[in-house]
Structure formats: structure tokens, C-alpha cells
Amino acid sequence: MMDDAHLYNFTGDKAGMNAVNRDEVNKVINDMSKGSAFHAHATAMSAKSDERIDVLKRKLSALDDIHRRKNENRAKSLGLDIERIRYCSRPCVVIDMDCFYAAVEMRDFPELLNKPMAVGGMSMISTANYVARSFGVRSAMPGFIAKELCPQLILVPGRYEAYSQASKLVLEVIHHYDEHCRMMSLDEAKIDLTKYLTATFGAQDEGWPMDTVSAVVKEMRDRVYQATRLTCSAGIGPSFMIAKVASDLNKPNGQFEVGFSREEAINFVRQQPLRKVSGLCLQ
């Protein structure tokens, strides 16, 4: 494996990429990036990260036992404070459209169905369908690298008015269940079902059964498809962070539920790779 493979850090965590050989993809990216401005920038950023890591390691090794115990006790105290306010009965849902831009193109141009295709150009692509992903092609990848990974890849230019219109139709459906919902992007929405479930099934001190919540989300997804002819996936859980992670686990056109209890939430998070948690990264 090449010494600078870490510079590219190909992540195959997106749906449809489980069988991709990451080493082979990284080799293609490495071979085609050498000598480029990107490679030079990535090398410089890697050196800065190494420096920051060395500084943190020196600070850690300089801590005596008294300061270590002090920090450990502070962490435990913060944990107890969080436990006191933890609430696990809020029905949080994240709806995530399936390969959204590519799906709109395949809907409007059926000749693209079952062929590897991506939206974008040779400089950069914004999304790829599941056929293309099986070759290692993914969003935020230069098109010329994607074509090396999948020579038969079809690149289509973006039609952002069409994507915006489809997104508006999705939001119209979701507003029936959460009038305060806002799309986090054109293809993703966070939905709090508390008000809808209370109005439909009555207030529940201990929250609503998962079967009830799951059926409502399935109905919502079906209505999205009826309005747009596009599929979406969903995650259900006691927090939006958990629901966001869960929304990617049964793609495409599926949903994943994490129970409304402390134990189920913690067990779920423990099973996830660090990269699945938004805002965290590996050094």
C-alpha cells in the first residue's frame, strides 16, 4: 500500500458501496492525483495534522496523575449531568432521499435506469446512482477519477431547478406531519412527530409504541413517492443524531428504527463506526 494513501482517505460508507475494494479505489485516486495541486495541498494539510497530533501527545504525556484524575472526575460529572436531562421518548425522524439528483435524472430520463451514471462533469460530480457506486464512484469525486474507476460511467449535467422542484414536493408532504419542519438540504429533512402523534393517537406519557411511529413513517415515505416518483429512506430514534445515522442503514427505500429507551440508544451508538457520527473525524 502506498505511503501517502492516507491523504485521500476514500470512504465507502455511503449506501451501495459495501462491496467496494477500498485499497483498489485508493490506488486509482493516488495514481491519478500525484503531481496535482490537490496532492500538494493534501500533503501540506497532512503535515499540519501530524504537528497538531504531536503537540497533543506531548501535552498528554506531561499530565501527572493528579491532573488525569481531575479530568476524569470532570468527565464523569458531565456525564451524570447529561443523564439527568436525557429524554428518550421524543419521536425523531430523518428522511433522506435516495441518490437524489441521480434519481431525478433517472426518473425524467428512463434510458439511464440500470446504467452507471452520475450528476456532474469531469472536474467534480455531486452524486452517483447505486450502479456507479458499486464501482467506487461517489459524490465529491472528480469526474476524471470516476471515469477511471468506471469507464462506462455516464456523466449528466446538473438540473438544479428540477431538483429544487422535487424537494418542494417532498416538503409539502412532510408538512402534513410536522408543520415546522425545514429541509436541511434539498434531499434531507428532520421531522419531530410529537405534535402529529399527539393529535392522531393522543398524548402518551411514556411515548408512542415503535410500531405506531414506524407505520406513520412508512405512510409518509409512500406519500413522498406518490408525489415525486422518488424513493426515500428514513431513520427513527430518540434523537436526531441517532435518526440521522439510522437513515443510512436500510437504503435504498427502507427505514431503520432505534427504540425509545436509553439502553437501546446506547447499544445502537456503540455498534456504529466513528465515521457514522456527524461532526467527528479520525486523525
Side-chain angles (χ1 to χ4, degrees), residues 159-200:
R159 297 183 301 126
Y160 296 99
E161 289 187 5
Y163 312 148
S164 295
Q165 181 59 35
S167 182
K168 289 177 182 177
L169 294 176
V170 173
L171 185 58
E172 287 178 6
V173 172
I174 292 174
H175 273 166
H176 175 72
Y177 300 90
D178 181 2
E179 60 186 345
H180 300 296
C181 170
R182 294 292 182 271
M183 301 291 286
M184 305 306 295
S185 60
L186 287 180
D187 64 346
E188 183 179 312
K190 293 181 178 180
I191 303 149
D192 185 343
L193 286 178
T194 301
K195 187 174 180 179
Y196 177 84
L197 292 170
T198 300
T200 307

Side-chain angles (χ1 to χ4, degrees), residues 6-269:
H6 67 287
L7 298 178
Y8 310 104
N9 203 23
F10 170 79
T11 57
D13 295 326
K14 293 185 74 66
M17 305 188 76
N18 293 336
V20 173
N21 187 316
R22 299 189 186 194
D23 289 343
E24 290 183 2
V25 174
N26 270 328
K27 185 177 186 307
V28 171
I29 296 173
N30 177 73
D31 291 345
M32 299 194 70
S33 299
K34 282 182 177 177
S36 68
F38 171 77
H39 185 275
H41 176 72
T43 301
M45 294 302 294
S46 177
K48 289 182 179 180
S49 293
D50 289 341
E51 291 176 6
R52 290 196 297 269
I53 292 171
D54 288 340
V55 170
L56 291 173
K57 285 181 176 179
R58 288 197 295 272
K59 287 183 178 180
L60 183 61
S61 62
L63 285 177
D64 56 32
D65 289 341
I66 294 176
H67 283 91
R68 287 177 183 271
R69 285 196 295 271
K70 181 179 178 180
N71 289 332
E72 288 173 357
N73 289 335
R74 182 169 179 269
K76 290 178 181 178
S77 178
L78 289 172
L80 291 173
D81 290 341
I82 292 173
E83 284 296 338
R84 279 191 285 270
I85 63 172
R86 187 192 296 272
Y87 180 72
C88 291
S89 296
R90 185 184 184 192
C92 298
V93 179
V94 169
I95 290 288
D96 191 8
M97 302 302 293
D98 298 323
C99 63
F100 183 49
Y101 293 178
V104 172
E105 297 299 334
M106 291 186 292
R107 178 197 66 183
D108 294 349
F109 303 98
E111 63 270 21
L112 295 173
L113 286 169
N114 302 316
K115 296 178 181 179
M117 59 82 59
V119 176
M122 293 300 282
S123 59
M124 189 62 64
I125 61 177
S126 56
T127 194
N129 69 359
Y130 293 109
V131 180
R133 291 182 191 185
S134 68
F135 291 88
V137 177
R138 57 162 296 158
S139 57
M141 173 180 280
F144 68 91
I145 291 179
K147 291 284 281 186
E148 182 71 16
L149 292 170
C150 179
Q152 64 270 42
L153 180 70
I154 301 171
L155 293 173
V156 300
R159 297 183 301 126
Y160 296 99
E161 289 187 5
Y163 312 148
S164 295
Q165 181 59 35
S167 182
K168 289 177 182 177
L169 294 176
V170 173
L171 185 58
E172 287 178 6
V173 172
I174 292 174
H175 273 166
H176 175 72
Y177 300 90
D178 181 2
E179 60 186 345
H180 300 296
C181 170
R182 294 292 182 271
M183 301 291 286
M184 305 306 295
S185 60
L186 287 180
D187 64 346
E188 183 179 312
K190 293 181 178 180
I191 303 149
D192 185 343
L193 286 178
T194 301
K195 187 174 180 179
Y196 177 84
L197 292 170
T198 300
T200 307
F201 302 103
Q204 302 286 334
D205 292 337
E206 300 299 324
W208 294 267
M210 180 57 78
D211 287 348
T212 299
V213 180
S214 182
V216 169
V217 174
K218 177 63 167 58
E219 174 190 277
M220 186 192 317
R221 291 176 45 242
D222 288 343
R223 291 184 61 180
V224 167
Y225 181 79
Q226 292 168 9
T228 66
R229 290 189 293 120
L230 301 169
T231 64
C232 63
S233 299
I236 307 170
S239 74
F240 284 118
M241 185 203 78
I242 288 176
K244 167 63 178 173
V245 176
S247 69
D248 197 49
L249 296 183
N250 210 2
K251 275 182 166 288
N253 197 25
Q255 61 190 58
F256 191 95
E257 301 93 11
V258 180
F260 302 117
S261 72
R262 176 185 182 276
E263 292 74 20
E264 288 173 285
I266 289 176
N267 288 338
F268 174 76
V269 172

